[in-house]
Amino acid sequence: MTDTPASADLDAERFQTVRVDLGSRSYDIVIGRGLLQEAGARIAAAKPGARLAVITDETVAKLHLEAFSKGLSEAGLDHVVLKVPAGEASKRFELFERLCDDVLAARLERGDAIVALGGGVVGDLAGFVAASVRRGMSFIQVPTTLLAQVDSSVGGKTGINSRHGKNLIGAFHQPDLVLADTAILDTLPLRDFRAGYAEVAKYGLLGDEPFFIWLEDNWQAVFAGGPERDEAVARSCQAKADVVAEDEHEAGRRALLNLGHTFGHSLESAVSYETERLVHGEGVSIGMMLAHEFSQRLDLIGQDTVDRIEAHLSAVGLPIRISDIPGQMPPADTLMDIIAQDKKVSRGSLTFILTRGIGQSFVEKGVDPATVCDFLTEKLTR
């Protein structure tokens, strides 16, 4: 499908496009309402003649699979559908192995494509399948949650969890195309939308104070689904695209995108990824508060900065303290054992994303474990 100038102009009016600049592996993130109905035509244009394996979860399948599959068929795309249970527990070896076998049984070739229709769990799992089967297949992301649209669908991180921690097994494998239909987010439960919003706020906190100020003024419109939602998704994707283009494999600056994640991942692992207690974005929200409070402990920022961030995340309805997690939490030394397995640990040295103010995050290596443990011990009692 080749756009005429008129159709390209119309497309630009309806959708925003963010380019992830990776040379010959560059790709577009297309953002806007109504993309699901056009997904078949766009995928056919990107991968003419390809056969597809659509990986989705049971919840998303009930809501969106029929329309998506119809669009693929109308575009002449032969495809198989592979379903997994919804939830973080699907990111495990057994399901990864099953999906790889199912793709091979369907006789998909290296030039064919894996399509992830779902949230971050589906995207991480499907992407790892795409990176692994036949030593690398094409990969297309159709993210259906806010968190996936602004974070996990962009940048090529794929993987599954281990009993030692989250996302410890995987590969960098960039998609060929990302289609982010913001109208799909209308069907998200409020809790899931809030969880995704934590990642949106993260982009302002780590490197763009004007964006954080914009969010303070416009977050209600983002939730309501107006043009502000598309703007928030586009600005978040652009922020991530800029970092990924500079540091694809997280050798340096890309680590900033993990603001709040070292603490957050440890909390997720501590509750055994039980989503009734904590979902990823909630862990990120608490983790970002902990990162800023720890920065204050180190005299990098003042209480006024901590209070401002707490006020915003609380207004949105996100949890901000470890005590907001239902049920009993393990002691600080258990959390430290989990943190010691974090991907950002280098030669046994702890690395944290700290901050000198809103929009002024930085990577700090060689953080003293005893200081972190004392800090967590205090926070566990609040």
Side-chain angles (χ1 to χ4, degrees):
M1 181 178 69
T2 302
D3 284 336
T4 65
S7 65
D9 289 344
L10 180 61
D11 201 58
E13 289 179 6
R14 297 171 57 210
F15 305 114
Q16 297 192 51
T17 300
V18 173
R19 184 76 168 168
V20 182
D21 188 3
L22 293 169
S24 62
R25 294 175 297 109
S26 297
Y27 57 93
D28 286 337
I29 310 162
V30 187
I31 301 154
R33 299 183 71 87
L35 273 170
L36 192 70
Q37 286 71 35
E38 302 182 10
R42 290 177 180 271
I43 293 171
K47 298 294 298 179
R51 298 178 63 233
L52 311 176
V54 178
I55 298 177
T56 189
D57 70 41
E58 292 162 354
T59 299
V60 172
K62 291 175 184 176
L63 293 169
H64 305 297
L65 180 60
E66 183 178 357
F68 184 69
S69 185
K70 180 182 178 183
L72 296 180
S73 297
E74 289 175 348
L77 292 169
D78 183 24
H79 59 283
V80 296
V81 175
L82 307 175
K83 298 179 187 178
V84 299
E88 191 73 26
S90 285
K91 285 171 56 175
R92 64 181 192 270
F93 270 117
E94 295 85 355
L95 277 176
F96 168 70
E97 180 183 19
R98 193 201 84 192
L99 289 170
C100 289
D101 283 342
D102 288 347
V103 171
L104 292 169
R107 298 186 179 275
L108 268 70
E109 302 173 358
R110 181 178 288 180
D112 294 325
I114 306 295
V115 179
L117 176 67
V121 169
V122 166
D124 286 355
L125 181 59
F128 192 30
V129 172
S132 305
V133 173
R134 303 195 187 279
R135 297 180 179 170
M137 296 178 62
S138 292
F139 181 42
I140 294 167
Q141 288 263 27
V142 186
T144 60
T145 66
L146 179 59
L147 190 149
Q149 290 187 2
V150 302
D151 185 61
S152 58
S153 68
V154 181
K157 282 187 177 181
T158 74
I160 57 177
N161 301 329
S162 160
R163 63 185 177 87
H164 296 289
K166 184 168 179 171
N167 296 333
L168 293 178
I169 302 160
F172 286 94
H173 190 65
Q174 298 291 343
D176 296 83
L177 176 68
V178 180
L179 300 174
D181 186 341
T182 53
I184 286 179
L185 305 181
D186 295 342
T187 65
L188 273 188
L190 179 58
R191 183 189 181 198
D192 291 339
F193 194 94
R194 283 173 172 155
Y197 183 86
E199 293 282 1
V200 176
K202 178 194 74 176
Y203 291 108
L205 290 172
L206 70 88
D208 190 350
E209 184 177 16
F211 183 41
F212 187 75
I213 294 170
W214 185 88
L215 289 171
E216 288 177 309
D217 294 335
N218 292 281
W219 71 267
Q220 291 171 308
V222 173
F223 274 67
E228 292 85 357
R229 177 186 291 176
D230 291 5
E231 180 69 13
V233 172
R235 289 178 71 166
S236 298
C237 288
Q238 187 65 66
K240 185 162 189 179
D242 291 344
V243 173
V244 169
E246 180 181 325
D247 178 22
E248 181 179 359
H249 295 114
E250 201 170 279
R253 185 176 173 228
R254 185 169 178 173
L256 290 174
L257 297 173
N258 292 305
L259 175 64
H261 285 59
T262 298
F263 286 121
H265 283 172
S266 71
L267 298 174
E268 287 183 85
S269 180
V271 301
S272 302
Y273 307 108
E274 293 178 10
T275 55
E276 296 82 3
R277 297 179 65 188
L278 189 72
V279 296
H280 175 65
E282 293 169 341
V284 169
S285 177
I286 298 170
M288 289 192 300
M289 283 304 310
L290 291 171
H292 283 84
E293 289 173 325
F294 190 58
S295 296
Q296 181 194 25
R297 175 67 58 87
L298 300 177
D299 294 323
L300 296 169
I301 58 174
Q303 184 64 45
D304 56 338
T305 300
V306 174
D307 291 344
R308 181 178 169 192
I309 297 164
E310 179 177 319
H312 182 60
L313 297 179
S314 295
V316 169
L318 282 163
I320 55 172
R321 297 183 180 87
I322 296 176
S323 59
D324 292 334
I325 303 171
Q328 185 70 30
M329 294 297 291
D333 56 356
T334 300
L335 293 178
M336 291 301 299
D337 287 342
I338 298 169
I339 288 172
Q341 285 280 7
D342 187 87
K343 299 181 296 302
K344 294 174 289 303
V345 170
S346 178
R347 300 184 185 276
S349 176
L350 296 184
T351 298
F352 280 85
I353 313 304
L354 303 178
T355 182
R356 296 186 178 91
I358 293 175
Q360 300 178 56
S361 294
F362 65 96
V363 180
E364 180 70 5
K365 298 181 179 180
V367 176
D368 178 34
T371 303
V372 180
C373 190
D374 289 345
F375 170 75
L376 285 173
T377 298
E378 176 189 316
K379 295 303 174 184
L380 282 162
T381 62
R382 285 182 56 191

